[in-house]
Amino acid sequence: LLSCRLYCEEAKDPKRRSCQTVLAEALDIVVRSFAPILPHLAEEVFQYIPYKKDSEGVFRTGWINASSAWKKPGIEEAIEGACAMRDSFLRSISGKNALEYEVIIVIEPGLLFELMEALQAEETSSVSQLNEIMMASQTTLLSEFPKETPSDANIIKGTFLINLEGGDICEQSSYKVIARPIAKAKCPRCRRYTAESSSTPCPRCLQVLAAGKGST
């Protein structure tokens, strides 16, 4: 997930910039957390942080005070639900390369489906947050089981308990994950199987490369 966003997206793409923001916030919190125990190490790390800091030393920054902007209702449950489906998918392919597969997630209309829609607005995507979590080359989100399913597809069933508002909202939802080998070629740039030919980058990478040429 991190490597794809950092090295495959355009330099100023919001996905790449948001990833850098999260890494910077995590580094800041970790350094200030162990500063009382490892003061010299914390100070050295702080001095080498490659972005502008509000103070000259780690002990002048004050204690951790995470912004309330990071707390978004439903996001934690959406990520946990997606991770549960990913684990089911990975177990079904027995250690094989997840990028060689596309997955279809089937969830009946309800709260869990709405949470997954927050991670993938499109029905099918190779660049959504949901697909990045699934670690596949392409993810499709459906509310009904597809009429045609290839004979070589793995179908995994599971359930996930949604717990929101401190337990005020609870819902047990079932899901199905259909995993099947993807028919597309491996992109020589991002290594996902989303290209029409192994010698040509996928559409996403072609767009990024074109944008890079235009800005030089």
Side-chain angles (χ1 to χ4, degrees):
L1 174 57
L2 292 179
S3 61
C4 185
R5 287 193 175 196
L6 290 174
Y7 301 115
C8 296
E9 299 292 353
E10 188 181 352
K12 296 182 180 180
D13 188 281
K15 289 183 179 180
R16 184 175 185 274
R17 297 293 290 152
S18 66
C19 182
Q20 291 176 310
T21 299
V22 170
L23 290 174
E25 184 75 7
L27 177 61
D28 179 71
I29 290 175
V30 169
V31 170
R32 285 196 279 168
S33 295
F34 68 66
I37 305 170
L38 300 168
H40 299 292
L41 176 60
E43 185 62 37
E44 184 176 4
V45 172
F46 187 83
Q47 294 302 324
Y48 280 95
I49 289 178
Y51 50 82
K52 186 177 180 180
K53 301 176 284 291
D54 295 331
S55 61
E56 297 180 358
V58 67
F59 289 99
R60 295 179 181 273
T61 61
W63 191 236
I64 301 166
N65 185 22
S67 171
S68 60
W70 293 99
K71 299 179 181 179
K72 294 185 178 181
I75 292 297
E76 182 179 354
E77 287 73 17
I79 298 297
E80 289 179 350
C83 288
M85 297 176 197
R86 177 199 62 197
D87 293 344
S88 297
F89 160 57
L90 294 178
R91 284 193 297 267
S92 73
I93 61 175
S94 303
K96 296 179 182 177
N97 185 1
L99 290 175
E100 296 179 358
Y101 288 81
E102 62 175 318
V103 297
I104 301 173
I105 299 173
V106 183
I107 308 171
E108 292 184 359
L111 186 53
L112 181 58
F113 186 84
E114 293 174 5
L115 290 175
M116 293 305 105
E117 279 189 315
L119 301 177
Q120 179 169 300
E122 310 88 349
E123 182 177 286
T124 300
S125 178
S126 60
V127 296
S128 68
Q129 295 181 69
L130 179 58
N131 186 67
E132 290 176 340
I133 293 171
M134 295 302 294
M135 300 171 63
S137 280
Q138 180 175 285
T139 297
T140 299
L141 179 62
L142 300 175
S143 59
E144 295 181 351
F145 199 84
K147 295 181 180 179
E148 296 183 2
T149 304
S151 57
D152 59 346
N154 295 328
I155 302 177
I156 312 101
K157 298 180 181 180
T159 59
F160 181 74
L161 177 62
I162 300 170
N163 193 333
L164 292 172
E165 304 295 335
D168 292 339
I169 301 176
C170 290
E171 183 176 299
Q172 182 87 13
S173 300
S174 60
Y175 62 83
K176 296 182 181 69
V177 178
I178 305 171
R180 61 186 185 186
I182 196 164
K184 295 185 178 181
K186 184 178 182 180
C187 173
R189 182 174 181 271
C190 70
R191 306 300 180 186
R192 287 182 175 174
Y193 289 77
T194 51
E196 298 301 324
S197 167
S198 58
S199 60
T200 305
C202 66
R204 188 275 299 271
C205 287
L206 286 173
Q207 184 178 354
V208 172
L209 293 170
K213 291 180 180 179
S215 63
T216 57

